Amino acid sequence: MYIHIWQNGDCHHLAQTVPTNWHCQIAKKCFRLFRWYNLYSDDKINIWLYWKYCRKIQHQGCVIVMGLIQNKLNEKDYKGLVDNASYLIQCVDSDGKFIYVNKTWKEKLGYANEDIGNLFLWDIIHSQSKEHCQKVFQQVISGGEIDAVEAVFQTKNGKALYVEGSANCRFDDAGNFVSTRGIFRDITDRKQMEEKLQESEKNFRVFFETMNDLIFVNDEQGKIVFINSAVTKILGYTLEELNNIHLLEVYPKSERKEAEQIFEEIFAGKRDTCPLPLATKSGRFLPVETRIWRGKWDGEDCIFSVSKDLSTEQEALQKFNRLFVSNPALMAVSMMPEGVITEVNDIFLEKIGYSRDEITGKTAEELNLFYFHKQEKKKEFAEELQKTGKVRDFELKIKTKNGQMLNGLYSGEIIESQGKEYFLAVIMDITKRKQAEEKIEYLSFHDDLTGLYNRRFIKEEIERLDTKRNLPFTIMVLDVNGLKLTNDAFGHEMGDRLLKKSGRYHEKSMQG
């Protein structure tokens, strides 16, 4: 193999005259002529292929003339060189039957020597690449040279093998077709990586476009270069309308100076979000929470801005506030886990007797607001809240500012707002209900007129006391003399007074 360069009228050998950084470029140009080449670290370029005629190429203003000295490599050396090459090398006749394949070709496609004789080109072409390869094959057997082609081969076990390479024809001295010659390298790993990257990018784009958050991609100067569909849908702007407009211009004019200051604080690490609203195309203010950070977009430095639409949350908050303020139940919000009260409704203040300033910023323990009937109930309350994050229908006592004790039915749940946890307590005042229940229970065992225990109580007590351990016990039956005469002579009201007085007398004498 010789490579000579004519420069300024002088002929020089490649290794003596060509700068090292030329070699790779020259080798690429040689590839078009000689198909198979390899660049060694010692700056030699070896190109292997029988090529009868010398060729010329232009490079850096020089004429490079190359040719092959056939007697430098004997047939055995040549075959060994090709057979052990790292590329897939094949020769095919005009019918597509394989004449020769090298060792790498067989290893990559999984065929043995005995398989090759009965193998045709179309047996190893994958279905997704067959139509394309048929066109290339017709072009090659017609004498065309294919400098670069990609194809998908199919291994013996059916696996796809992605390759790239070149193909041409070999003719005899009379110009008759002998065979096609092709050299390919395995690019399956690269293709799979490209497919993964494409799939990842596709998924990212889909995710990007389907997000409900408003996403702005801005250059380093803050000018908008891309938006997602949510910006168009919610704000009403198109990319063409926002293209090269500064991000601050989507904020209301009255808020832009503050927004710029907040952005500077975010980049300085002094805060995380910008709470200022955006302005829609129609001029309406849109409540959002915006986060910004620096990153890369299409390989360029950029600023990402993601604004979360808080309209739904604000509407829900407004509804909650209306329900909170006007709710007939006592309601309080405290910060977790400290338990510091941050808000109470009007009825809470009315029932408890404190002003808003007196109660907010303090805990229920500091104010001694709540008392459980039993210590076990307080423990059960704490365990239930820790386990489930909520409690339901716990009865307790509520101490007002003036010391009065109310009966309450306590429910509550841990809620989250803007990344912080709060405890929402709802307390029903059941004082009147408890009083009514106590009265009913009292009347079920006491006489309504005298207040003494009634027949029902006596009956249950006799059943309870009727055991050997309690024997003997005494039952006294008393009668009020003259009751009928009093009722008849002075009326039933006077008779009732007589019964009450008699009852108090006997109750007092029994206690004494």
Side-chain angles (χ1 to χ4, degrees):
M1 177 72 211
Y2 64 83
I3 299 179
H4 283 183
I5 298 176
W6 270 262
Q7 188 176 25
N8 298 326
D10 297 322
C11 178
H12 305 281
H13 188 273
L14 173 67
Q16 297 172 346
T17 61
V18 179
T20 302
N21 61 358
W22 282 24
H23 291 184
C24 185
Q25 300 174 55
I26 293 173
K28 289 179 181 177
K29 293 187 177 182
C30 293
F31 180 74
R32 185 169 181 270
L33 299 178
F34 296 100
R35 300 288 166 254
W36 302 323
Y37 70 93
N38 181 29
L39 183 61
Y40 287 95
S41 59
D42 60 359
D43 295 331
K44 293 181 180 178
I45 298 178
N46 293 283
I47 304 174
W48 307 305
L49 181 64
Y50 175 82
W51 195 270
K52 186 173 181 180
Y53 306 102
C54 296
R55 299 292 180 93
K56 297 180 181 180
I57 63 172
Q58 294 284 339
H59 185 77
Q60 297 288 334
C62 304
V63 178
I64 305 174
V65 180
M66 292 166 285
L68 182 67
I69 302 177
Q70 290 178 251
N71 60 5
K72 290 292 182 180
L73 291 173
N74 59 41
E75 185 176 352
K76 182 179 179 181
D77 292 335
Y78 175 80
K79 189 176 183 305
L81 200 60
V82 172
D83 203 42
N84 290 288
S86 60
Y87 293 90
L88 290 78
I89 300 173
Q90 64 183 39
C91 292
V92 179
D93 66 17
S94 58
D95 294 325
K97 188 174 183 179
F98 282 100
I99 300 171
Y100 168 81
V101 295
N102 72 339
K103 182 179 178 182
T104 301
W105 190 100
K106 288 179 282 189
E107 289 174 350
K108 291 284 186 179
L109 293 173
Y111 288 99
N113 289 331
E114 54 269 21
D115 298 324
I116 307 303
N118 300 316
L119 204 61
F120 285 81
L121 177 62
W122 312 116
D123 296 329
I124 62 102
I125 300 297
H126 197 279
S127 58
Q128 71 183 75
S129 191
K130 191 159 288 188
E131 184 178 349
H132 171 63
C133 288
Q134 286 173 343
K135 292 179 182 179
V136 171
F137 183 72
Q138 289 301 320
Q139 185 177 346
V140 170
I141 63 176
S142 300
E145 291 186 10
I146 306 300
D147 294 333
V149 62
E150 285 192 9
V152 185
F153 289 174
Q154 183 170 292
T155 65
K156 189 176 181 179
N157 61 11
K159 184 180 177 182
L161 184 77
Y162 293 85
V163 298
E164 69 175 6
S166 62
N168 64 6
C169 269
R170 178 169 170 257
F171 298 92
D172 60 19
D173 292 340
N176 299 314
F177 174 87
V178 176
S179 66
T180 67
R181 298 172 296 192
I183 177 169
F184 304 93
R185 65 188 183 97
D186 180 5
I187 59 168
T188 304
D189 291 343
R190 190 189 81 189
K191 277 290 184 181
Q192 290 175 345
M193 183 61 69
E194 289 174 355
E195 289 175 0
K196 287 180 181 178
L197 288 173
Q198 289 172 0
E199 186 66 24
S200 177
E201 183 177 353
K202 180 182 176 181
N203 291 340
F204 173 75
R205 294 282 181 175
V206 171
F207 172 73
F208 188 88
E209 286 297 332
T210 55
M211 282 186 68
N212 293 324
D213 294 342
L214 291 78
I215 302 178
F216 298 85
V217 182
N218 318 279
D219 63 19
E220 279 285 86
Q221 286 71 46
K223 291 184 177 180
I224 299 169
V225 296
F226 195 83
I227 58 174
N228 70 339
S229 56
V231 174
T232 300
K233 180 180 177 182
I234 298 173
L235 294 185
Y237 296 105
T238 64
L239 177 59
E240 290 72 22
E241 290 173 316
L242 294 178
N243 193 32
N244 286 324
I245 291 177
H246 200 282
L247 178 63
L248 290 173
E249 294 186 41
V250 298
Y251 284 87
K253 288 183 179 180
S254 59
E255 307 286 354
R256 290 175 189 173
K257 187 174 182 180
E258 185 179 356
E260 184 177 10
Q261 182 179 350
I262 291 174
F263 285 177
E264 290 175 358
E265 291 176 358
I266 292 174
F267 285 131
K270 296 180 180 179
R271 63 191 303 165
D272 297 322
T273 60
C274 175
L276 301 180
L278 299 178
T280 66
K281 189 176 179 179
S282 63
R284 180 174 61 87
F285 285 14
L286 179 75
V288 296
E289 181 184 72
T290 302
R291 296 178 181 272
I292 61 172
W293 68 93
R294 299 185 187 278
K296 292 279 188 181
W297 180 263
D298 289 337
E300 300 292 334
D301 291 334
C302 73
I303 297 172
F304 289 104
S305 170
V306 178
S307 298
K308 183 179 180 181
D309 182 2
L310 300 180
S311 299
T312 303
E313 290 185 16
Q314 292 249 337
E315 290 174 8
L317 182 60
Q318 289 172 2
K319 290 179 181 178
F320 172 81
N321 286 337
R322 287 196 293 270
L323 289 171
F324 183 86
V325 171
S326 60
N327 202 297
L330 288 74
M331 298 183 72
V333 177
S334 54
M335 188 179 296
M336 294 292 287
E338 299 87 355
V340 175
I341 298 171
T342 59
E343 189 59 75
V344 293
N345 66 349
D346 294 341
I347 195 69
F348 192 103
L349 299 174
E350 180 183 327
K351 290 281 186 178
I352 305 300
Y354 288 99
S355 68
R356 198 175 301 276
D357 291 338
E358 287 175 321
I359 202 166
T360 55
K362 296 181 177 66
T363 66
E365 287 77 12
E366 289 175 324
L367 297 168
N368 295 317
L369 285 180
F370 305 123
Y371 294 87
F372 288 87
H373 297 293
K374 296 179 181 179
Q375 192 65 26
E376 292 78 10
K377 279 291 182 181
K378 183 175 183 181
K379 183 180 179 183
E380 183 184 341
F381 178 95
E383 289 175 349
E384 185 70 16
L385 181 60
Q386 185 176 8
K387 182 180 178 181
T388 65
K390 55 187 177 182
V391 291
R392 290 286 183 272
D393 299 335
F394 275 83
E395 289 191 14
L396 45 66
K397 293 283 187 179
I398 310 167
K399 186 179 180 181
T400 65
K401 185 178 180 180
N402 62 14
Q404 181 186 356
M405 301 301 289
L406 305 176
N407 290 289
L409 189 65
Y410 191 106
S411 298
E413 186 170 346
I414 296 174
I415 60 174
E416 187 174 327
S417 177
Q418 296 183 350
K420 295 181 180 180
E421 286 190 340
Y422 296 87
F423 184 74
L424 173 63
V426 180
I427 309 163
M428 300 294 296
D429 181 7
I430 59 172
T431 303
K432 291 182 178 180
R433 190 187 85 182
K434 292 297 289 185
Q435 290 172 348
E437 288 175 355
E438 290 170 359
K439 185 176 182 180
I440 291 171
E441 184 178 5
Y442 178 84
L443 291 176
S444 66
F445 292 105
H446 294 78
D447 180 69
D448 187 33
L449 180 62
T450 63
L452 299 175
Y453 288 116
N454 60 12
R455 182 186 296 274
R456 179 182 175 188
F457 177 82
I458 296 298
K459 183 179 178 181
E460 290 187 8
E461 279 297 292
I462 290 173
E463 291 176 356
R464 184 177 68 83
L465 296 172
D466 190 14
T467 62
K468 290 182 179 181
R469 183 170 61 87
N470 293 321
L471 295 176
F473 63 85
T474 302
I475 299 176
M476 295 177 64
V477 179
L478 303 176
D479 190 18
V480 179
N481 294 330
L483 177 61
K484 185 177 184 307
L485 178 62
T486 303
N487 285 333
D488 292 341
F490 302 103
H492 285 279
E493 183 179 350
M494 189 60 70
D496 290 344
R497 289 174 63 183
L498 177 60
L499 283 173
K500 290 179 182 180
K501 189 172 182 179
S502 176
R504 287 195 297 270
Y505 172 78
H506 286 99
E507 186 178 24
K508 186 176 180 180
S509 65
M510 292 298 178
Q511 290 173 351

